Short mmCIF file of all heavy atoms in Angstrom, two decimals:
data_model
loop_
_atom_site.label_atom_id
_atom_site.label_comp_id
_atom_site.label_asym_id
_atom_site.label_seq_id
_atom_site.Cartn_x
_atom_site.Cartn_y
_atom_site.Cartn_z
N GLN A 24 28.01 10.02 -16.86
CA GLN A 24 28.23 8.76 -16.15
C GLN A 24 29.70 8.61 -15.75
O GLN A 24 30.01 8.14 -14.66
CB GLN A 24 27.80 7.58 -17.01
CG GLN A 24 26.28 7.47 -17.19
CD GLN A 24 25.91 6.26 -18.02
OE1 GLN A 24 26.62 5.89 -18.95
NE2 GLN A 24 24.78 5.64 -17.69
N MET A 25 30.60 9.03 -16.64
CA MET A 25 32.03 8.92 -16.35
C MET A 25 32.46 9.85 -15.22
O MET A 25 33.38 9.54 -14.46
CB MET A 25 32.85 9.19 -17.61
CG MET A 25 32.77 8.09 -18.65
SD MET A 25 33.90 8.36 -20.04
CE MET A 25 33.03 9.62 -20.97
N LEU A 26 31.80 10.99 -15.08
CA LEU A 26 32.16 11.95 -14.03
C LEU A 26 31.82 11.44 -12.64
O LEU A 26 32.47 11.79 -11.66
CB LEU A 26 31.46 13.29 -14.28
CG LEU A 26 31.97 14.15 -15.43
CD1 LEU A 26 31.06 15.34 -15.63
CD2 LEU A 26 33.41 14.61 -15.16
N GLY A 27 30.79 10.63 -12.54
CA GLY A 27 30.41 10.06 -11.24
C GLY A 27 29.95 11.09 -10.23
O GLY A 27 30.32 11.01 -9.05
N LEU A 28 29.16 12.06 -10.66
CA LEU A 28 28.71 13.11 -9.75
C LEU A 28 27.69 12.57 -8.74
O LEU A 28 26.81 11.78 -9.08
CB LEU A 28 28.10 14.27 -10.54
CG LEU A 28 29.03 14.97 -11.53
CD1 LEU A 28 28.30 16.11 -12.22
CD2 LEU A 28 30.29 15.48 -10.84
N ILE A 29 27.81 13.03 -7.51
CA ILE A 29 26.95 12.54 -6.43
C ILE A 29 25.51 12.97 -6.64
O ILE A 29 24.58 12.19 -6.39
CB ILE A 29 27.46 13.07 -5.07
CG1 ILE A 29 28.90 12.61 -4.82
CG2 ILE A 29 26.54 12.60 -3.94
CD1 ILE A 29 29.57 13.33 -3.66
N THR A 30 25.30 14.21 -7.09
CA THR A 30 23.93 14.73 -7.15
C THR A 30 23.17 14.30 -8.40
O THR A 30 22.07 14.79 -8.65
CB THR A 30 23.92 16.27 -7.03
OG1 THR A 30 24.65 16.85 -8.12
CG2 THR A 30 24.51 16.73 -5.71
N THR A 31 23.74 13.37 -9.16
CA THR A 31 22.93 12.73 -10.21
C THR A 31 22.12 11.58 -9.61
O THR A 31 21.17 11.09 -10.23
CB THR A 31 23.81 12.15 -11.33
OG1 THR A 31 24.73 11.20 -10.77
CG2 THR A 31 24.59 13.25 -12.04
N LYS A 32 22.48 11.15 -8.41
CA LYS A 32 21.83 10.00 -7.78
C LYS A 32 20.49 10.41 -7.17
O LYS A 32 20.36 11.50 -6.60
CB LYS A 32 22.73 9.40 -6.71
CG LYS A 32 24.10 9.00 -7.22
CD LYS A 32 24.98 8.47 -6.11
CE LYS A 32 26.41 8.29 -6.61
NZ LYS A 32 26.52 7.32 -7.72
N PRO A 33 19.48 9.53 -7.23
CA PRO A 33 18.21 9.84 -6.58
C PRO A 33 18.36 9.83 -5.06
O PRO A 33 19.22 9.12 -4.52
CB PRO A 33 17.28 8.72 -7.06
CG PRO A 33 18.20 7.60 -7.43
CD PRO A 33 19.47 8.23 -7.92
N VAL A 34 17.53 10.61 -4.39
CA VAL A 34 17.57 10.72 -2.93
C VAL A 34 16.26 10.22 -2.35
O VAL A 34 15.18 10.59 -2.82
CB VAL A 34 17.82 12.18 -2.48
CG1 VAL A 34 17.84 12.26 -0.95
CG2 VAL A 34 19.11 12.71 -3.06
N LEU A 35 16.35 9.38 -1.33
CA LEU A 35 15.19 8.91 -0.59
C LEU A 35 15.32 9.45 0.83
O LEU A 35 16.40 9.39 1.43
CB LEU A 35 15.15 7.38 -0.59
CG LEU A 35 13.95 6.67 0.01
CD1 LEU A 35 13.76 5.31 -0.65
CD2 LEU A 35 14.09 6.47 1.52
N TYR A 36 14.23 9.98 1.38
CA TYR A 36 14.27 10.61 2.70
C TYR A 36 13.70 9.68 3.76
O TYR A 36 12.57 9.21 3.65
CB TYR A 36 13.50 11.93 2.68
CG TYR A 36 14.05 12.91 1.68
CD1 TYR A 36 13.47 13.05 0.42
CD2 TYR A 36 15.19 13.66 1.96
CE1 TYR A 36 13.98 13.93 -0.52
CE2 TYR A 36 15.73 14.54 1.03
CZ TYR A 36 15.13 14.67 -0.21
OH TYR A 36 15.65 15.53 -1.14
N LEU A 37 14.50 9.42 4.81
CA LEU A 37 14.03 8.67 5.97
C LEU A 37 13.75 9.69 7.08
O LEU A 37 14.67 10.31 7.61
CB LEU A 37 15.09 7.69 6.45
CG LEU A 37 15.23 6.34 5.75
CD1 LEU A 37 16.25 5.48 6.48
CD2 LEU A 37 13.91 5.61 5.68
N ALA A 38 12.49 9.88 7.40
CA ALA A 38 12.10 10.82 8.45
C ALA A 38 12.14 10.10 9.78
O ALA A 38 11.31 9.23 10.05
CB ALA A 38 10.70 11.37 8.17
N ASN A 39 13.11 10.43 10.62
CA ASN A 39 13.26 9.80 11.93
C ASN A 39 12.29 10.49 12.90
O ASN A 39 12.53 11.63 13.31
CB ASN A 39 14.70 9.92 12.42
CG ASN A 39 14.95 9.07 13.65
OD1 ASN A 39 14.11 8.28 14.08
ND2 ASN A 39 16.13 9.24 14.25
N VAL A 40 11.22 9.80 13.23
CA VAL A 40 10.09 10.42 13.94
C VAL A 40 10.04 10.00 15.41
O VAL A 40 10.74 9.09 15.85
CB VAL A 40 8.75 10.04 13.26
CG1 VAL A 40 8.71 10.58 11.84
CG2 VAL A 40 8.55 8.52 13.27
N GLU A 41 9.18 10.70 16.17
CA GLU A 41 8.90 10.33 17.56
C GLU A 41 8.24 8.96 17.59
O GLU A 41 7.57 8.55 16.64
CB GLU A 41 7.93 11.35 18.18
CG GLU A 41 8.35 12.80 18.04
CD GLU A 41 9.17 13.28 19.22
OE1 GLU A 41 9.48 12.45 20.11
OE2 GLU A 41 9.49 14.47 19.27
N ASP A 42 8.36 8.25 18.73
CA ASP A 42 7.71 6.95 18.82
C ASP A 42 6.19 7.07 18.91
O ASP A 42 5.49 6.07 18.76
CB ASP A 42 8.26 6.13 19.98
CG ASP A 42 8.16 6.84 21.32
OD1 ASP A 42 7.54 7.92 21.38
OD2 ASP A 42 8.68 6.31 22.32
N SER A 43 5.69 8.29 19.11
CA SER A 43 4.24 8.51 19.10
C SER A 43 3.72 8.84 17.70
O SER A 43 2.52 9.06 17.51
CB SER A 43 3.88 9.66 20.05
OG SER A 43 4.55 10.86 19.67
N ASP A 44 4.63 8.86 16.72
CA ASP A 44 4.24 9.23 15.35
C ASP A 44 4.88 8.29 14.35
O ASP A 44 5.51 8.71 13.38
CB ASP A 44 4.66 10.69 15.08
CG ASP A 44 4.20 11.21 13.72
OD1 ASP A 44 3.10 10.79 13.28
OD2 ASP A 44 4.93 12.01 13.10
N VAL A 45 4.71 6.97 14.56
CA VAL A 45 5.42 5.98 13.76
C VAL A 45 5.05 6.01 12.29
O VAL A 45 5.83 5.58 11.43
CB VAL A 45 5.20 4.55 14.31
CG1 VAL A 45 5.87 4.39 15.66
CG2 VAL A 45 3.71 4.22 14.39
N ASN A 46 3.86 6.52 11.96
CA ASN A 46 3.45 6.58 10.55
C ASN A 46 3.69 7.95 9.91
O ASN A 46 3.25 8.20 8.80
CB ASN A 46 1.98 6.17 10.41
CG ASN A 46 1.77 4.70 10.75
OD1 ASN A 46 2.48 3.83 10.25
ND2 ASN A 46 0.81 4.40 11.63
N GLY A 47 4.38 8.81 10.64
CA GLY A 47 4.80 10.08 10.07
C GLY A 47 3.68 11.03 9.71
O GLY A 47 3.71 11.65 8.64
N ARG A 48 2.73 11.19 10.62
CA ARG A 48 1.62 12.11 10.37
C ARG A 48 1.82 13.47 11.03
O ARG A 48 1.04 14.39 10.84
CB ARG A 48 0.29 11.50 10.86
CG ARG A 48 -0.06 10.17 10.21
CD ARG A 48 -0.12 10.28 8.70
NE ARG A 48 -0.35 8.98 8.06
CZ ARG A 48 -0.22 8.80 6.76
NH1 ARG A 48 0.13 9.81 5.96
NH2 ARG A 48 -0.44 7.60 6.23
N GLY A 49 2.87 13.59 11.84
CA GLY A 49 3.14 14.85 12.52
C GLY A 49 3.60 15.94 11.57
O GLY A 49 3.97 15.68 10.42
N GLU A 50 3.63 17.17 12.07
CA GLU A 50 3.92 18.33 11.22
C GLU A 50 5.32 18.27 10.61
O GLU A 50 5.52 18.57 9.43
CB GLU A 50 3.76 19.61 12.06
CG GLU A 50 3.88 20.90 11.25
CD GLU A 50 5.30 21.48 11.25
OE1 GLU A 50 6.06 21.15 12.19
OE2 GLU A 50 5.63 22.22 10.31
N LEU A 51 6.32 17.86 11.39
CA LEU A 51 7.70 17.81 10.88
C LEU A 51 7.83 16.76 9.76
O LEU A 51 8.42 17.03 8.71
CB LEU A 51 8.68 17.51 12.01
CG LEU A 51 8.83 18.59 13.08
CD1 LEU A 51 9.73 18.08 14.22
CD2 LEU A 51 9.42 19.87 12.49
N ALA A 52 7.27 15.57 9.99
CA ALA A 52 7.33 14.52 8.98
C ALA A 52 6.54 14.90 7.74
O ALA A 52 6.96 14.58 6.61
CB ALA A 52 6.82 13.20 9.56
N GLN A 53 5.42 15.57 7.91
CA GLN A 53 4.61 16.00 6.77
C GLN A 53 5.40 16.95 5.88
O GLN A 53 5.29 16.90 4.65
CB GLN A 53 3.33 16.67 7.25
CG GLN A 53 2.22 15.71 7.65
CD GLN A 53 1.69 14.94 6.45
OE1 GLN A 53 1.83 13.71 6.37
NE2 GLN A 53 1.10 15.62 5.50
N ARG A 54 6.21 17.79 6.48
CA ARG A 54 7.03 18.73 5.69
C ARG A 54 8.02 17.96 4.81
O ARG A 54 8.25 18.33 3.65
CB ARG A 54 7.75 19.70 6.61
CG ARG A 54 6.81 20.71 7.28
CD ARG A 54 7.54 21.52 8.33
NE ARG A 54 8.61 22.31 7.75
CZ ARG A 54 9.52 22.99 8.48
NH1 ARG A 54 9.48 22.92 9.79
NH2 ARG A 54 10.46 23.68 7.88
N VAL A 55 8.58 16.91 5.36
CA VAL A 55 9.52 16.08 4.57
C VAL A 55 8.77 15.36 3.46
O VAL A 55 9.24 15.28 2.32
CB VAL A 55 10.26 15.08 5.48
CG1 VAL A 55 11.20 14.20 4.65
CG2 VAL A 55 11.04 15.80 6.56
N ARG A 56 7.59 14.83 3.78
CA ARG A 56 6.78 14.13 2.78
C ARG A 56 6.43 15.07 1.62
O ARG A 56 6.53 14.69 0.44
CB ARG A 56 5.51 13.57 3.42
CG ARG A 56 4.63 12.78 2.45
CD ARG A 56 3.41 12.20 3.14
NE ARG A 56 3.74 11.03 3.95
CZ ARG A 56 3.78 11.02 5.28
NH1 ARG A 56 3.48 12.12 5.96
NH2 ARG A 56 4.10 9.92 5.94
N GLU A 57 6.02 16.28 1.94
CA GLU A 57 5.66 17.25 0.90
C GLU A 57 6.87 17.62 0.05
O GLU A 57 6.76 17.78 -1.17
CB GLU A 57 5.04 18.50 1.54
CG GLU A 57 3.66 18.24 2.15
CD GLU A 57 3.21 19.35 3.08
OE1 GLU A 57 3.97 20.36 3.21
OE2 GLU A 57 2.14 19.23 3.68
N HIS A 58 8.03 17.77 0.70
CA HIS A 58 9.25 18.07 -0.05
C HIS A 58 9.59 16.93 -1.00
O HIS A 58 9.92 17.16 -2.17
CB HIS A 58 10.42 18.30 0.91
CG HIS A 58 11.75 18.45 0.22
ND1 HIS A 58 12.17 19.64 -0.32
CD2 HIS A 58 12.73 17.54 -0.04
CE1 HIS A 58 13.36 19.47 -0.88
NE2 HIS A 58 13.72 18.21 -0.73
N ALA A 59 9.50 15.69 -0.51
CA ALA A 59 9.79 14.53 -1.36
C ALA A 59 8.87 14.48 -2.56
O ALA A 59 9.30 14.20 -3.69
CB ALA A 59 9.68 13.24 -0.53
#
């Protein structure tokens, strides 16, 4: 805690998608979802 390392923090991914894929069902967004 005293070291304050950045990679101890949790990461949340915002997938910036096409306007035709607002719910993130496309192949690129799916890859991010699976990684998360």
